[in-house]
Amino acid sequence: MSTRKAKTKNEASSSRGGVGGESVVADCGRNKSTCGYCKSSTRSSISHGLWTERLTVNDYQALLDRGWRRSGCFLYKPEMDKTCCPSYTIRLKASDFVPSKEQQRVRRRLERFLDGEIDAKPSEQTEYQDVSFSREVSGSVRKSLGAAKREQNNEVEPIMKDLAEQIDNAVQRCIQSGEFPSNIQIPKASVKRVLSAKRKKLAEGSEELLYTSNIAFPIVAAIKRTETSEKGKNVEENRLSPEAVSEKLLIAMNKVEEFTGFSVKVSKGHINFLSATGVTSSDRNEGEESLCATTTKSSSNKLRARKRKLEMHLKRSSFDPEEYELYKRYQLKVHNDKPESISETSYKRFLVDTPLIEVPPSGYDDEEKLPPCGFGSFHQQYRVDDRLIAVGVIDILPNCLSSKYLFWDPDFASLSLGNYSALQEIDWVKQNQAHCATLEYYYLGYYIHSCNKMRYKAAYRPSQLLCPLRYQWVPFEVAKPLLDKKPYSVLSNFTKDSLSSSSPKAYETIVQSTREHEDMEQGETNDDDGDEMYNSDEDSDSSRNRNDIANILISLDGPRLRYKDIPRIKNPVVQKQLESMLINYRKVVGTELLERMVYELR
């Protein structure tokens, strides 16, 4: 799809839809399908669809604020009172965002990974995402604090691998020198982090005991097994004990302290690695995490070389073979898609193709109103040491960053990249407000209260949900009690008195939102809850309906005409069908957009 250059200020102001030209849409009408959320066997998911290959960023922003989303060039809006799983648009004002403890842990975990303190690992409990926000979440099941601590203690740090390798090398030197039998099978050494509660029991003095290995015990057991099956063992071998084995290994490892910055001692058959700084754990409330940071900073050049570099690259939406290969791995391993269901064509249609007319940062007079990257569709790449580990598909619009999808390397599941990238995108909005004052919000896609996999979105606080009837933004804490009662609710139906007394801040937000929508037509804001969108209108209403659709801008194979300027169709059946389509179109896009976007008759 070719992109259009941004117009100058005068040209843009005269064009429909604001910056970047005009929007052209084709009406696909109502669509029914099976639901991926409730797994209904019937076609219970109901939405209205539009197809477009040209859409201005201003018009898409307005559509988002009426409950629309896009998948490639296809726009869709759930029929909220009819669909099985009502999907509410959810957003967050970036400047008001307060990260939770779990979200702060996500940042710290990735920082520890970059510092070389922990390794990434795949996880059976991978993170999920939906097509709209499609932001995978750090585990659908929240672990208790105790379970999280146990998981942290079991993490294998790179330094532990280094120390185990040093012990294995020492074992081989002892075998080569004849101190250990050459015909025994010895397991690989393992090094464990020492918990704070056990440090005093395993070490003496003021040095901090960090890691320990009990490899001497399996070595002694292996030697004894060999003795029972063979004869002629000498006295020295028969006298070997865990204490003697650990002493021999210590002698063979006499350069370890210089290499790693640790003090190495043996005690009761254990090989212990102590900090050379003499810092004790009594001064720490969270000894494990702080200890890792101290150890990393004081380690040798080899350990520092294990530090990783994270880079983020924002690029215009385009096909990238490396991204496509990552997408395939993600879909196969995380979503268990069948290989035959994944193709380059479907990938492009879903995550590469975009109808948004690009607005570059240069070539437009009001550059102070644009972020440095401009507006449009983008792919945000996350690379660690130049390895692509995640790609976020986003739209950057005049008022928001809208997150569409994220796919990541399954080998890095433990890093909660979905949560981390969401935090990065929120930070991006905050930073770019300096360039574009209207860029205030982070849109997380759809929120489905009845779907447990969606609940994490509400953890980004303070969030707002879009009322499906009046298109006002309602604080989540106000909407939640209504959604607890039933999946579909007119969120702006609240009692002002009770709200103002129970939640003054939420009340002020509602009042402000109401003021912003006071200019909305009564016909749009006061529709009956139970109106059938696709019912034929009564004859008494036909005149009013024709007035409502009179200003729709229609494309007839080139020329653009307002509906009121098109000669009346002689065939009354065709005329009624066309007017019914246009009335439904008006209901889903609103008066402002129907006058601005071009309605293409195909």
Side-chain angles (χ1 to χ4, degrees), residues 14 19 29 45 57 114 149 226 228 232 255 313 329 404 436 472 479 481 485 528 542 582:
S14 63
V19 180
S45 179
V57 292
L114 296 177
K149 283 292 184 183
T226 304
T228 60
K255 294 184 179 181
H313 302 287
R329 288 192 64 226
K404 184 180 184 301
C436 181
Q472 298 172 4
K485 295 177 181 178
D528 225 335
S542 60
L582 296 179

Side-chain angles (χ1 to χ4, degrees), residues 227-285:
E227 288 177 348
T228 60
S229 59
E230 296 182 10
K231 298 180 180 180
K233 295 297 174 183
N234 61 49
V235 177
E236 180 65 24
E237 288 179 333
N238 289 331
R239 287 181 180 176
L240 284 179
S241 64
E243 290 78 5
V245 169
S246 62
E247 289 286 354
K248 291 180 181 293
L249 292 176
L250 177 59
I251 294 172
M253 295 171 63
N254 56 7
K255 294 184 179 181
V256 170
E257 181 177 350
E258 178 183 350
F259 184 76
T260 64
F262 289 107
S263 170
V264 185
K265 296 182 180 180
V266 295
S267 175
K268 300 176 182 179
H270 290 79
I271 301 175
N272 296 329
F273 300 88
L274 302 94
S275 66
T277 59
V279 178
T280 63
S281 60
S282 60
D283 299 326
R284 307 189 189 283
N285 293 325

Side-chain angles (χ1 to χ4, degrees), residues 196-406:
S196 300
K198 296 183 179 180
R199 285 176 185 153
K200 290 184 179 180
K201 297 179 181 179
L202 297 177
E204 298 177 357
S206 62
E207 289 180 309
E208 183 75 16
L209 177 57
L210 306 181
Y211 306 100
T212 186
S213 174
N214 64 353
I215 186 61
F217 294 89
I219 290 177
V220 171
I223 293 174
K224 287 184 178 180
R225 284 194 300 269
T226 304
E227 288 177 348
T228 60
S229 59
E230 296 182 10
K231 298 180 180 180
K233 295 297 174 183
N234 61 49
V235 177
E236 180 65 24
E237 288 179 333
N238 289 331
R239 287 181 180 176
L240 284 179
S241 64
E243 290 78 5
V245 169
S246 62
E247 289 286 354
K248 291 180 181 293
L249 292 176
L250 177 59
I251 294 172
M253 295 171 63
N254 56 7
K255 294 184 179 181
V256 170
E257 181 177 350
E258 178 183 350
F259 184 76
T260 64
F262 289 107
S263 170
V264 185
K265 296 182 180 180
V266 295
S267 175
K268 300 176 182 179
H270 290 79
I271 301 175
N272 296 329
F273 300 88
L274 302 94
S275 66
T277 59
V279 178
T280 63
S281 60
S282 60
D283 299 326
R284 307 189 189 283
N285 293 325
E286 297 181 9
E288 305 305 324
E289 234 174 88
S290 301
L291 201 52
C292 291
T294 303
T295 302
T296 301
K297 292 176 182 176
S298 63
S299 295
S300 65
N301 291 334
K302 181 177 179 180
L303 181 57
R304 284 196 296 270
R306 283 185 174 273
K307 288 192 175 183
R308 304 170 175 96
K309 182 179 181 182
L310 172 66
E311 294 179 296
M312 288 170 281
H313 302 287
L314 186 66
K315 57 187 282 288
R316 291 281 176 179
S317 181
S318 61
F319 180 76
D320 183 325
E322 186 181 16
E323 292 182 358
Y324 174 58
E325 290 302 317
L326 178 61
Y327 169 79
K328 285 198 297 185
R329 288 192 64 226
Y330 171 77
Q331 294 297 132
L332 291 171
K333 292 196 174 184
V334 177
H335 290 287
N336 298 315
D337 285 2
K338 296 180 180 179
E340 59 269 21
S341 68
I342 304 172
S343 68
E344 190 174 304
T345 300
S346 63
Y347 167 73
K348 288 179 180 178
R349 187 167 57 240
F350 177 34
L351 295 177
V352 178
D353 292 347
T354 174
L356 297 188
I357 300 173
E358 174 185 334
V359 181
S362 59
Y364 181 66
D365 289 347
D366 282 354
E367 289 182 24
E368 70 277 6
K369 295 182 180 179
L370 294 173
C373 62
F375 295 137
S377 298
F378 296 83
H379 285 194
Q380 172 87 304
Q381 293 186 344
Y382 295 81
R383 292 182 177 273
V384 170
D385 295 340
D386 203 38
R387 174 178 174 177
L388 184 66
I389 65 168
V391 177
V393 182
I394 60 177
D395 293 324
I396 297 176
L397 306 173
N399 296 348
C400 74
L401 184 154
S402 174
S403 185
K404 184 180 184 301
Y405 202 77
L406 184 124

Side-chain angles (χ1 to χ4, degrees), residues 65-77:
D65 292 336
R66 290 187 65 90
W68 291 82
R69 296 290 292 173
R70 77 173 184 89
S71 176
C73 294
F74 182 72
L75 307 176
Y76 58 99
K77 170 184 168 67

Side-chain angles (χ1 to χ4, degrees), residues 494-509:
F494 58 90
T495 304
K496 290 185 179 181
D497 291 339
S498 61
L499 180 60
S500 60
S501 60
S502 62
S503 181
K505 185 175 181 180
Y507 173 71
E508 288 301 322
T509 304

Side-chain angles (χ1 to χ4, degrees), residues 37-206:
Y37 299 111
C38 66
K39 308 298 182 183
S40 171
S41 58
T42 62
R43 295 168 60 191
S44 57
S45 179
I46 305 173
S47 62
H48 195 108
L50 297 174
W51 179 264
T52 175
E53 294 181 1
R54 289 197 308 168
L55 188 66
T56 68
V57 292
N58 285 335
D59 288 346
Y60 186 47
Q61 178 71 67
L63 286 168
L64 283 181
D65 292 336
R66 290 187 65 90
W68 291 82
R69 296 290 292 173
R70 77 173 184 89
S71 176
C73 294
F74 182 72
L75 307 176
Y76 58 99
K77 170 184 168 67
E79 288 188 34
M80 296 288 283
D81 58 338
K82 299 178 180 65
T83 192
C84 56
C85 295
S87 306
Y88 298 83
T89 301
I90 183 171
R91 75 176 186 181
L92 166 79
K93 191 171 184 179
S95 60
D96 293 341
F97 173 62
V98 179
S100 66
K101 289 184 178 180
E102 173 61 28
Q103 290 157 355
Q104 291 172 352
R105 279 194 288 268
V106 167
R107 284 192 190 274
R108 289 198 298 267
R109 188 183 306 128
L110 193 125
E111 288 169 0
R112 291 179 62 203
F113 167 73
L114 296 177
D115 286 340
E117 296 176 18
I118 61 173
D119 282 339
K121 55 185 177 181
S123 173
E124 292 297 324
Q125 292 180 333
T126 49
E127 305 160 310
Y128 295 90
Q129 52 188 90
D130 68 293
V131 171
S132 48
F133 170 50
S134 302
R135 176 68 53 196
E136 94 292 339
V137 166
S138 63
S140 58
V141 180
R142 293 188 177 276
K143 300 182 179 72
S144 65
L145 181 59
K149 283 292 184 183
R150 288 194 297 273
E151 180 180 308
Q152 178 184 348
N153 292 332
N154 290 331
E155 286 175 344
V156 178
E157 302 170 11
I159 185 61
M160 294 160 66
K161 292 182 178 180
D162 286 344
L163 297 177
E165 183 180 343
Q166 290 296 319
I167 295 175
D168 288 334
N169 292 338
V171 170
Q172 293 303 315
R173 285 196 291 271
C174 288
I175 292 175
Q176 292 169 5
S177 66
E179 294 183 84
F180 297 163
S182 60
N183 59 343
I184 61 173
Q185 292 185 348
I186 299 175
K188 291 288 186 181
S190 65
V191 174
K192 295 183 179 180
R193 186 191 308 156
V194 180
L195 301 179
S196 300
K198 296 183 179 180
R199 285 176 185 153
K200 290 184 179 180
K201 297 179 181 179
L202 297 177
E204 298 177 357
S206 62

